[in-house]
Structure formats: structure tokens, C-alpha cells
Amino acid sequence: MSRINFVIFSIAVSILFSGVALSSAFADTPAKSTNFEKTTIIEFENNGNTQIKTVKMWLGQDSGAFKSFKTERDWTGTKTAQGMLVFSTEKPVSQGESVKFGIKTEVASPGINWKTIDASGNDISIGKAAPNTEQEVTTPPVTPPVTPPTTKPSSNFDDATFRIIPEKPKNGDNIRIVGDGFPPNRQINFYIDNEIIDDFMTDDSGHLLGKAKIPINKLDRVEFSLADTDGNKKTISIRIDYVESQPVNPKEKHITVKEFPEIVQPGQTVHASGTGSPGSTLTITSKDPTGNKISEVAIPVDTQGNWSYDTVIPPNVGIGSRTVEISDGTDTITKTVSITDLSSVDITSSTTQYSPGDKMLFNVTSTAGKPLEVVIKDPIGKEIFFDIIPVGDSGFVEFEFATDATSTKGTYVVLATQGSDTDVIRIGLGEPPGRALLGNSTS
């Protein structure tokens, strides 16, 4: 069977530039994308001589926010506090190569701004991906500047100013950073003392707006700085007020549950979160309707008092209700979750055990006309394969994953997701597949 490829359509690429004459360098990285409802696939092809090490993406004002993302192998991604996605790799994309990312957003068919960066932190190209359109990337003729040289925007920070809101923050506060007079369309790093907290982008007029959180351990006089990669820097010094922890009301619970699923399906990834005493440990215990313990896991509470837990409901867990107890040893919160089988996705394999060097072959039955996400994780839980496969009118999909003689032996987890429906199977490589990782044993 031939290798599964993404269905990619050409899209409009808006070329943004400032402070330099327009050259073909900005056409060295054309971006292609296609949209499936709230899912967007973006591919960057390197047509220039400079290797791509980092890709940054951010949404316009009317495009909501990023919900999740997927990267190719050897790439990692993070989401900043301002909602920007930053992807990087230790194996940069060379001339003639390409890289693809899968993005989920709150709204359908968003306009996604992007830029590519080399290993030295220099911008290679900047653009905006418009949904499902096609536009040739061209280089218009360079025209002489009509603005007198005396009014040309400064490339340094001589005229730059910024302030912190609130003006008298406390340790642990969320703050806003507002600046003007900075170089336009420039990445600016934000520091508290000598610790880099985040990075922001200035707009066309050099205006900057960002959000950050003051670490709880920052006390007395603190330096806030904005700096670029050219060594330009602006610093203000502010005294940070110290706020002592408020005494806990003994009648109040030390733990809370903010997010918890009430209805789940076999194979579904579920998420729960809440608050607890900073630095403590919670236990999450699931029990069957007769009160017998099914599983138990320890969850740490971070220094800010937050905890979160993600797990995959095993495919063979069985239909019915479960009781979940969340406890810190003093207080206990009890929740009930209903397990139902509503999934329209069914994934099977030609066999449950392969030998190193074999091709794993899979069949999926799903809803026609909707894209299918496929993820494969190795025995230590690392994601080693990701693809988004178009589904035709039959609703039937085949795909394969090639192993080699050096592939790790053990149990591989294969997930097929279409919308909110997920099916999961476990495949053994060099040995029979093991039992479910979660839900059938106590840990």
C-alpha cells in the first residue's frame, strides 16, 4: 500500500515586511494549508538556502484561539501565555524539504499568521495563511520610499517606552505590559530580572501589548526588561509588594475540581483539573458500582496550587458507571462518570503481534467525508507517528506503519480520532501486547 499523504490545497500567502527592501527571500518559504471545519493543516516548503529551525503562528483578532496542535516527528511545540504557537526542531528543514503541522482552533477556517526563523534567531519569511484559497507568491518591483529619511522608524529602542499594569504589582500577580516606540513587526523578549518570561510581537506602528505572571518568589525591587536579539534593551525597576498566604478556613475544603467529564467512551482521552494545597499530592481512585477499586494514581499539586490529570479510557473497560474519588488525605471529593459506547470509529489490525521489520497494517471504519487523525505511540508512550487522513464516501480507510529491526519491542498504542470519537487498539512488536495501561490495575 502506498504511503498516506495529507490532502493539501494551495492557499493565499500574504507577504509582510518592514524596514528592508522587498526581496525574493520572503518567497523562499511558501505556506500551503487546507481546512476541515476547525482543523487546519499547514505545510511549509523551504525553497531557499537558509534552514528553518523555528516556526511561530498566531491568530487574528476574529479567529478565536488555538485549542490543540500536532507536529511531525523530531519537532516540539509549545503554546505561550499570549496564545502563540512556537514549534522548533533539532533537525532544521533544508532546501527542498518541507514540514507540516496540524492545528485545531475555536472557530472554523481561521486566518493564521506565521513566520519562519533560522538557527540564529533571524526571521526567514513572514506571512498569513488564508483558508482554502490559492494565490501565487510574487515579488513586486521595489519602489523608492516616499517618506523622508528623518521619519523612518528607528531600529533601536531610543524612543521606546513601556509600563506595567497594575503599576504596583504583588508577587504572583498577573500583569499586562504596554509599550510604544519599539521597532515595528519585531519579536521582543520580556525579562523579570535576568529570567526570560515570554516573547511578544510589536505591530506595524511599534506598539506592544503582552501578558505575564510575576513568579511567587519575586520580592522587593525587581527589574522588568524588554530586549531584542540585536542587544537593544529597555528596563524599568519596580518594587514588588509581598502578599502572605491567607489562613485557610478549616470548614473549607483544601481541594477543588474544576474540570471533570461526566460521560466518556472507551478509547477516549479525558482530562480533569482543579486546585489543592501547593506542593501536596492527591490520589484519584476509580471504583466499580459495587465499590471495588479499579485503579488508583497519585497526582502532584504544583507550587501555584493547581493539578491536572489526563488518561485514556481503555477500549475493553466495559460499559456502565464508575465512581471516582479525589482525595488529599483529609478531604475527598466524589464524582460519577458514565462510560458509553457512542463512537463511530472502529480500528482493527491484520494481526495483534508483529516482528521487528514488519509493516503494521490497519483498517478503519468511520464517518464518510470527515478527516481521520491517526496517532501511534511506542512502548514508553512517545508519539512516533501522526497523520490526518481524508475519508471518502465509503468511510473505509487503510494505512500502514513500517518498523525496522532496531524498533523497540513491546506494546504500541494506536489511536484513530474523528471529531469527538476515538478508538484505540494495542499492538505487540516482538511480543504479545500487554494489558491496558490505565483503568484495569492499581498503581
Side-chain angles (χ1 to χ4, degrees):
M1 173 181 170
S2 61
R3 176 180 177 272
I4 300 298
N5 294 316
F6 288 96
V7 177
I8 301 297
F9 296 98
S10 299
I11 65 166
V13 178
S14 301
I15 306 303
L16 306 179
F17 61 95
S18 177
V20 296
L22 182 65
S23 70
S24 61
F26 283 90
D28 284 346
T29 315
K32 306 174 184 177
S33 78
T34 187
N35 299 85
F36 305 99
E37 297 177 350
K38 298 180 181 180
T39 298
T40 301
I41 310 302
I42 301 183
E43 178 181 15
F44 297 90
E45 181 179 354
N46 190 354
N47 294 333
N49 297 322
T50 304
Q51 291 184 324
I52 301 172
K53 180 177 176 61
T54 303
V55 177
K56 294 190 175 184
M57 301 183 198
W58 64 99
L59 294 170
Q61 295 181 351
D62 299 327
S63 296
F66 294 112
K67 294 184 66 178
S68 62
F69 59 83
K70 292 288 185 180
T71 68
E72 288 190 358
R73 188 176 183 179
D74 299 322
W75 282 78
T76 59
T78 58
K79 182 179 178 182
T80 70
Q82 287 67 45
M84 175 184 288
L85 297 183
V86 181
F87 302 101
S88 59
T89 182
E90 295 302 321
K91 297 181 179 180
V93 179
S94 302
Q95 185 177 22
E97 298 177 342
S98 64
V99 61
K100 289 175 281 192
F101 304 98
I103 309 295
K104 282 190 176 181
T105 50
E106 291 180 341
V107 300
S109 302
I112 300 178
N113 302 288
W114 57 265
K115 71 174 179 177
T116 56
I117 302 170
D118 64 17
S120 300
N122 301 313
D123 292 351
I124 302 173
S125 55
I126 304 173
K128 182 174 182 180
N132 294 333
T133 58
E134 183 173 353
Q135 179 180 351
E136 182 181 359
V137 178
T138 59
T139 303
V142 177
T143 56
V146 296
T147 306
T150 55
T151 62
K152 183 179 180 180
S154 173
S155 61
N156 54 40
F157 287 15
D158 290 347
D159 301 323
T161 60
F162 76 96
R163 58 194 175 97
I164 303 296
I165 301 174
E167 296 181 353
K168 297 181 179 181
K170 304 177 182 63
N171 60 317
D173 276 359
N174 292 305
I175 60 174
R176 288 189 296 153
I177 302 94
V178 181
D180 287 290
F182 289 89
N185 301 313
R186 181 77 64 87
Q187 176 182 316
I188 307 294
N189 296 322
F190 176 61
Y191 294 82
I192 297 182
D193 288 336
N194 294 320
E195 178 184 358
I196 187 168
I197 304 299
D198 211 331
D199 61 77
F200 313 123
M201 287 292 298
T202 59
D203 62 16
D204 294 339
S205 62
H207 179 72
L208 179 147
L209 178 63
K211 296 179 181 179
K213 185 180 182 67
I214 299 177
I216 197 72
N217 61 344
K218 295 297 182 182
L219 305 174
D220 299 326
R221 187 160 292 278
V222 174
E223 288 190 345
F224 297 87
S225 303
L226 292 172
D228 64 8
T229 57
D230 295 331
N232 299 304
K233 188 175 184 179
K234 278 287 182 178
T235 301
I236 60 176
S237 180
I238 298 178
R239 182 174 295 278
I240 302 297
D241 292 334
Y242 174 68
V243 178
E244 295 184 357
S245 301
Q246 297 296 320
V248 177
N249 186 338
K251 296 182 180 180
E252 295 179 351
K253 287 186 178 294
H254 298 171
I255 56 176
T256 67
V257 178
K258 295 181 178 178
E259 297 177 275
F260 189 87
E262 296 181 354
I263 301 175
V264 299
Q265 301 177 51
Q268 178 182 346
T269 299
V270 297
H271 172 78
S273 67
T275 62
S277 299
S280 64
T281 300
L282 307 181
T283 57
I284 299 180
T285 306
S286 63
K287 298 180 179 180
D288 64 19
T290 64
N292 294 320
K293 184 188 295 185
I294 301 174
S295 66
E296 186 173 88
V297 64
I299 303 298
V301 181
D302 65 23
T303 57
Q304 304 298 318
N306 299 311
W307 64 268
S308 65
Y309 178 58
D310 293 274
T311 187
V312 176
I313 304 299
N316 59 345
V317 70
I319 306 302
S321 64
R322 301 290 186 272
T323 299
V324 179
E325 296 177 351
I326 303 163
S327 175
D328 63 357
T330 301
D331 298 320
T332 300
I333 295 177
T334 302
K335 296 285 188 178
T336 300
V337 60
S338 176
I339 301 176
T340 60
D341 190 4
L342 302 175
S343 177
S344 62
V345 180
D346 181 35
I347 180 172
T348 59
S349 174
S350 60
T351 181
T352 59
Q353 181 178 338
Y354 294 90
S355 299
D358 289 347
K359 282 186 179 181
M360 297 182 178
L361 304 176
F362 303 97
N363 297 322
V364 183
T365 303
S366 59
T367 303
K370 296 178 62 177
L372 183 75
E373 293 185 12
V374 176
V375 173
I376 300 178
K377 297 183 179 181
D378 68 10
I380 64 172
K382 180 181 179 182
E383 184 176 307
I384 58 173
F385 178 83
F386 168 76
D387 203 351
I388 295 182
I389 306 172
V391 179
D393 294 338
S394 67
F396 181 75
V397 169
E398 296 178 321
F399 69 95
E400 63 185 33
F401 176 73
T403 67
D404 54 45
T406 62
S407 294
T408 303
K409 294 182 179 180
T411 300
Y412 287 68
V413 178
V414 186
L415 303 93
T417 301
Q418 189 180 57
S420 60
D421 292 339
T422 299
D423 194 19
V424 181
I425 59 173
R426 300 183 310 281
I427 301 297
L429 185 65
E431 60 185 52
R435 297 180 64 189
L437 298 177
L438 295 169
N440 287 346
S441 61
T442 300
S443 58

